[in-house]
Amino acid sequence: MIEPFPLTRDAALLRWHEFMRRVPSYGARRNFVGTTHDDVSRLSPAIRFGLITPEEIVRETLAVHDLRRVEKWVQEVCWRSYWKGWLEMRPQVWTSWRQRVRELRESLPNDVLTRVREVSEGRSGVAIMDCFAKELGETGYLHNHARMWWASFWVHVERLPWELGAEFFFQHLLDADPASNTLSWRWVAGLQTAGKTYLVRRSNLERYCDPFMLTDSTGMDRLEDGCVTPTIAADHADLTRHPLPELPTALSQPAGRVGIWIHADDLCLETSPLAKLHPVSIAAVTSDATYAHYGLSERRVRSIHTVIQDGLTRAGAHFQCPVTMTDSLSTAAALQTWAEREKLDTIVAMSPNIGPVADALPAIHRALNVPPHLARRPWDAQMFPAAKSGFFPFWEKTSRWLGQQFPTSQMTLL
């Protein structure tokens, strides 16, 4: 049986190969929201943690399909790379969101915070939106179209701060990604593309929702077409674009004893630029204190532990060396202890993306005598610089590059 939301590489590959036959119909079916989500891949948790990479999926797709036939599928896979690249050049947007969450929690009136809790718990009084909130809490997943509807309901109907809605998603989604989550909420709120909001409409729900899900129409009058008007919040983030850090896409074997730090942003080291190294030890660090700081749900914490253990086990088998996983209040302190115990001369790692893992890097640099050597996947090195502005300029460059990598004459048209 294939798991609905795969949290190991083997399960992700099974799910992907089962779904591959549906790829040609994805563009026509992807917006329909039902109870089983058969029209979408449900690979997002695996992609988020790097159990399976966007590059693998795109390359395997274009090995058998003409890009023009499956463009919508490939676009959707590339969206995560786009969001990551956009945020890598504007890390202060992530920092601003975290600061605003704290400020809002401390400053909002009690009645607003009560409403935040009610809507999050599926007690808004709009039946379909409450259904989505409960599904997220119970499964750790929502169809992307449902996410857009619910986020729009939160911002433009309930008129609650987008930052706290993004926090709710980040706490519960198994695939919660700092870039995709933060920037998608900004887009719905009209901040990512200035002045362009996403408004939930009853007609859209009725077109794309399984009719069974709309049996209870309580509160639908609040979503009637034309009734929902945009609420444009002030943008507290500095959107200045910064140069991407220059990172190698290949590493040669360093001298001395080498250790690899594996983390939740890239859990398939056997396909990474580190794959040919010869480490003496591999370490992963989990932090229940960090999870508590973000208010992550128990289901989400369990999923993080599962994916890290899977990545660590595969890395140990690939590199043929001991592995260790430590829970610590401080990632930096845990890595320092590991480096001293193993008498390491060098630590290498895949570069974490902007978010909780990358937030630990300054402390890690201070704790270790030699800062870790970081590498970036060639796919990311290609994609990130193209994410300077909107998605469609990014896609124009990306599709042209993909067309060069996979000319139609080399594809099998199914």
Side-chain angles (χ1 to χ4, degrees), residues 9-83:
R9 177 165 170 79
D10 286 347
L13 291 173
L14 280 172
R15 177 63 183 154
W16 163 228
H17 294 146
E18 188 276 338
F19 185 76
M20 194 184 295
R21 61 186 175 85
R22 294 176 177 264
V23 165
S25 63
Y26 173 83
R29 297 293 308 169
R30 69 188 184 94
N31 283 332
F32 288 91
V33 180
T35 56
T36 58
H37 306 304
D38 290 336
D39 293 317
V40 293
S41 73
R42 289 164 285 167
L43 283 168
S44 54
I47 296 171
R48 182 268 175 266
F49 292 110
L51 300 176
I52 184 171
T53 67
E55 179 180 11
E56 285 181 276
I57 294 172
V58 171
R59 286 187 179 280
E60 291 187 13
T61 297
L62 297 185
V64 295
H65 295 299
D66 176 28
L67 176 60
R68 292 166 296 183
R69 190 180 182 195
V70 293
E71 183 174 21
K72 183 52 66 175
W73 164 252
V74 176
Q75 275 187 348
E76 292 302 309
V77 174
C78 290
W79 261 102
R80 281 183 177 259
S81 298
Y82 164 72
W83 283 138

Side-chain angles (χ1 to χ4, degrees), residues 77-372:
V77 174
C78 290
W79 261 102
R80 281 183 177 259
S81 298
Y82 164 72
W83 283 138
K84 287 179 187 294
W86 194 97
L87 194 61
E88 287 290 317
M89 288 186 273
R90 303 163 183 85
Q92 68 277 8
V93 174
W94 162 260
T95 305
S96 172
W97 172 62
R98 293 303 305 149
Q99 291 174 342
R100 284 292 294 162
V101 168
R102 290 191 293 271
E103 292 168 0
L104 290 166
R105 288 289 179 188
E106 293 171 357
S107 64
L108 285 176
N110 287 334
D111 61 330
V112 177
L113 292 174
T114 297
R115 190 58 180 168
V116 164
R117 185 168 60 254
E118 289 173 346
V119 178
S120 300
E121 293 174 354
R123 295 186 291 118
S124 75
V126 178
I128 184 61
M129 295 300 155
D130 291 343
C131 174
F132 292 145
K134 291 173 183 177
E135 179 184 0
L136 176 54
E138 292 168 4
T139 70
Y141 183 82
L142 268 186
H143 186 288
N144 186 62
H145 211 159
R147 297 183 198 196
M148 293 164 61
W149 288 328
W150 198 89
S152 179
F153 172 70
W154 177 281
V155 174
H156 304 299
V157 179
E158 288 290 335
R159 302 193 181 276
L160 295 171
W162 73 267
E163 294 93 340
L164 298 187
E167 180 189 38
F168 174 59
F169 272 21
F170 193 76
Q171 290 170 336
H172 290 275
L173 283 170
L174 299 184
D175 63 12
D177 175 271
S180 296
N181 187 62
T182 307
L183 303 182
S184 294
W185 272 88
R186 283 176 52 84
W187 178 76
V188 168
L191 301 177
Q192 195 62 21
T193 302
K196 184 176 181 180
T197 57
Y198 178 78
L199 300 181
V200 60
R201 293 178 289 114
R202 180 172 185 159
S203 61
N204 195 251
L205 284 159
E206 291 176 339
R207 178 181 179 184
Y208 289 109
C209 259
D210 184 325
F212 172 77
M213 301 175 70
L214 299 175
T215 302
D216 185 350
S217 62
T218 302
M220 284 289 278
D221 56 298
R222 298 182 65 193
L223 309 179
E224 292 288 353
D225 292 26
C227 287
V228 181
T229 56
T231 302
I232 307 296
D235 196 346
H236 297 271
D238 171 13
L239 303 184
T240 303
R241 189 174 75 235
H242 301 279
L244 285 165
E246 294 185 9
L247 296 172
T249 56
L251 289 179
S252 56
Q253 178 71 25
R257 292 175 62 82
V258 177
I260 294 179
W261 167 41
I262 185 172
H263 52 73
D265 282 354
D266 195 319
L267 290 169
C268 195
L269 296 187
E270 61 268 37
T271 69
S272 78
L274 312 185
K276 295 183 179 180
L277 298 184
H278 301 285
V280 298
S281 180
I282 303 172
V285 182
T286 60
S287 176
D288 287 338
T290 299
Y291 307 148
H293 171 74
Y294 284 93
L296 303 192
S297 69
E298 290 184 13
R299 181 184 300 275
R300 180 131 142 68
V301 171
R302 288 197 304 270
S303 73
I304 293 172
H305 281 267
T306 298
V307 296
I308 291 178
Q309 186 61 65
D310 178 69
L312 188 62
T313 299
R314 283 183 287 101
H318 174 81
F319 292 102
Q320 293 292 295
C321 71
V323 300
T324 180
M325 185 158 76
T326 305
D327 184 80
S328 174
L329 293 174
S330 165
T331 299
L335 291 179
Q336 181 184 36
T337 299
W338 165 64
E340 291 173 350
R341 184 179 67 244
E342 298 294 335
K343 298 181 173 58
L344 299 178
D345 298 297
T346 306
I347 295 174
V348 297
M350 295 305 298
S351 179
N353 302 120
I354 298 302
V357 180
D359 286 347
L361 283 177
I364 292 171
H365 287 178
R366 290 192 297 269
L368 299 175
N369 291 329
V370 179

